[in-house]
Amino acid sequence: MKEFDGKTCRLIDADIHEKVTYADLLPYLGQPWKRYIADANWVQEKHMPYTQPAVAGVNRADAMLPDGRDAGSDLPFMREQLLDACGHDIGILTGALDPSPSSMHGWYEMAATLATAYNDWQIEHWLEKEERLYGSIHIAAQDPKTAVEEIERIGGHPKMLQVLLPIDDIAWGDPMYHPIYEAAEKHDLVIGMHHNEPPVQFGKWPRYFIEWHALIPTSHMIQVTNMILNGVFEKYPKLKVMMIEGGFTYVPFLMKKLDQQYKDLRHEVPWVTKMPSETIKNHFCFTTQPLEEMTKREWNNLVEQMGTDDIIVFSTDYPHWDYDSPEQALPNGLSEEVRHKIMVENALRFYPKLKRRDM
Amino acid sequence: MEEKVCTMQDLGPGDMIERTFSGKSIIICRSDQGIYAFLNRCPHQGALLSKGKIGGSPAATKNPGEYCFQREGEILRCPWHGREFDITDGGNTLTPDRSKLKEFMIKIEGEDVIVSTERKKSKAAQA
Ligand code: FES
């Protein structure tokens, strides 16, 4: 397995979206699944009432391919526009979001089959073709039995770093998901949580996209809180969770609030034995994007409240419209040492399957 | 320093073209009212504005729920986060946040569009 020199690495990007078409998945599907897509044009149900946030919808306008294909669908173009241009050492793929098997609200057999097809397609077309790209295992988390089978099947792949759970309407502390955590822990896989269509407003959509997008961190807070208070980390002491695309600026508040509540209400959750803020520091990381514009002083204030900057990991979210530039997104004036932690060190330490040469 | 960057025939109202001026990438934008030159770099995170779009935008209103689309051909939207810049007003954003595009002086001689190094001041800066 490749080893990385933490000193010479310049950029690890924890959130890159590759794009798949349903037709791409057909060679990886058996029957009857194939015919539902090929003959009946089946596509996963969609809920979002707004797809218009930026000039080219939900993607960067300059990420669409010159021949009109979707942003994120072509590896050579991604190499040129992102990996080479920004100097990536490692990029972690986090899925197309459509299909998004764990977000299907029914027909779990199809979800499980799609997850398997997606993983095989991802390995063949991205991970095996580009050394710098690493992957996320897709599962149908609604059906933990097949989800565990898929983790067992593919979890040993050296470039699969995490199991991806889109945030949806059942919080992830629920005991039904625990076998997934057990399997992830066994294979040195992180749990990567990326919202897809999160229930930021009582399981429904707010009236405007700007409301939904501004409140995405609330759906991340629900998951972090729910996992901690359901005792997931007492039960799985090696488990790590990467919270993707919610930013990190809500974390200081959540640490303080959960600690205060825990001191008052521990009796209700006696299986929780550690201070929630400690559990956050020991088990979670948070990707930066979409990072609010802030000064160095504001950044430092947040870090001071968290008591650490070890849990902040840089991400671009390429090719989506709310992409963060590796050169421009962090506040001006951060020291090289801090930048290096955010851009490289923290991710390298966090993902068990990224091996460091200099440790 | 002055440089001819294009002719008036090269772009119509609502169009934008990319040129080089003094070694820098710039964009020339044309509206019904005039022609403008800006640095081809968004002041937010540095996207190439030439990959964005010129169009219109809903006017500010006192009535929630009301969309009054106007100013077609005058508002430049960045290709990444979609921030809106008014090309006819020194490249100021449509929000009160004070960020703006870097604008160059431009003059028309016959059909030639000539850009000079001097930056125009925005209306806000002149006030
Ligand atoms: S880079 Fe232009 S709006 Fe962000």
Side-chain angles (χ1 to χ4, degrees), chain A residues 81-327:
Chain A
Q81 187 169 58
L82 182 75
L83 305 176
D84 296 346
C86 299
H88 281 60
D89 294 286
I90 295 171
I92 302 170
L93 298 178
T94 47
L97 305 180
D98 178 24
S100 169
S102 285
S103 304
M104 281 178 62
H105 294 167
W107 209 15
Y108 300 162
E109 296 83 356
M110 176 59 119
T113 304
L114 273 177
T116 298
Y118 195 96
N119 292 330
D120 290 343
W121 170 85
Q122 182 191 179
I123 289 169
E124 186 177 339
H125 290 275
W126 297 85
L127 307 190
E128 288 180 352
K129 289 197 172 142
E130 172 51 62
E131 196 188 11
R132 291 168 287 186
L133 290 178
Y134 285 73
S136 301
I137 297 175
H138 294 250
I139 55 172
Q142 317 87 329
D143 181 7
K145 184 171 169 295
T146 63
V148 168
E149 285 167 9
E150 185 61 8
I151 296 169
E152 291 294 340
R153 184 182 80 89
I154 216 83
H157 191 285
K159 295 189 86 183
M160 285 293 198
L161 300 185
Q162 62 191 352
V163 177
L164 194 67
L165 302 182
I167 293 170
D168 210 272
D169 56 1
I170 303 178
W172 294 106
D174 194 296
M176 76 175 269
Y177 297 119
H178 291 194
I180 294 170
Y181 302 143
E182 188 175 329
E185 208 181 37
K186 177 178 154 194
H187 287 280
D188 278 339
L189 294 161
V190 163
I191 297 293
M193 289 208 181
H194 191 301
H195 55 272
N196 185 17
E197 297 191 329
V200 298
Q201 197 183 42
F202 318 116
K204 295 193 178 137
W205 291 94
R207 187 154 166 166
Y208 301 109
F209 180 89
I210 187 171
E211 294 177 78
W212 175 70
H213 203 255
L215 294 176
I216 283 172
T218 63
S219 65
H220 288 233
M221 290 163 79
I222 289 169
Q223 303 297 341
V224 173
T225 303
N226 188 259
M227 288 183 86
I228 292 173
L229 298 181
N230 277 274
V232 168
F233 301 102
E234 277 77 6
K235 193 167 171 187
Y236 303 106
K238 279 182 10 194
L239 192 69
K240 307 267 186 205
V241 183
M242 179 66 83
M243 300 301 295
I244 305 166
E245 211 183 330
F248 77 91
T249 55
Y250 65 89
V251 178
F253 159 75
L254 192 62
M255 282 175 155
K256 282 262 183 275
K257 178 54 74 183
L258 284 176
D259 279 0
Q260 176 245 334
Q261 293 290 303
Y262 178 64
K263 287 179 204 165
D264 297 349
L265 298 169
R266 186 215 61 86
H267 60 87
E268 190 193 9
V269 287
W271 46 85
V272 179
T273 57
K274 301 194 176 71
M275 292 304 284
S277 61
E278 284 308 305
T279 300
I280 288 176
K281 284 184 209 164
N282 291 328
H283 293 273
F284 286 89
C285 266
F286 302 85
T287 65
T288 48
Q289 182 275 342
L291 187 61
E292 299 86 351
E293 291 157 282
M294 67 178 87
T295 62
K296 175 183 158 189
R297 193 167 156 202
E298 288 166 333
W299 171 285
N300 287 339
N301 282 340
L302 291 164
V303 169
E304 192 184 334
Q305 289 176 59
M306 290 195 295
T308 182
D309 59 4
D310 291 348
I311 57 176
I312 309 171
V313 167
F314 184 78
S315 62
T316 62
D317 192 35
Y318 178 90
H320 290 164
W321 72 280
D322 45 347
Y323 167 87
D324 267 347
S325 156
E327 283 173 3

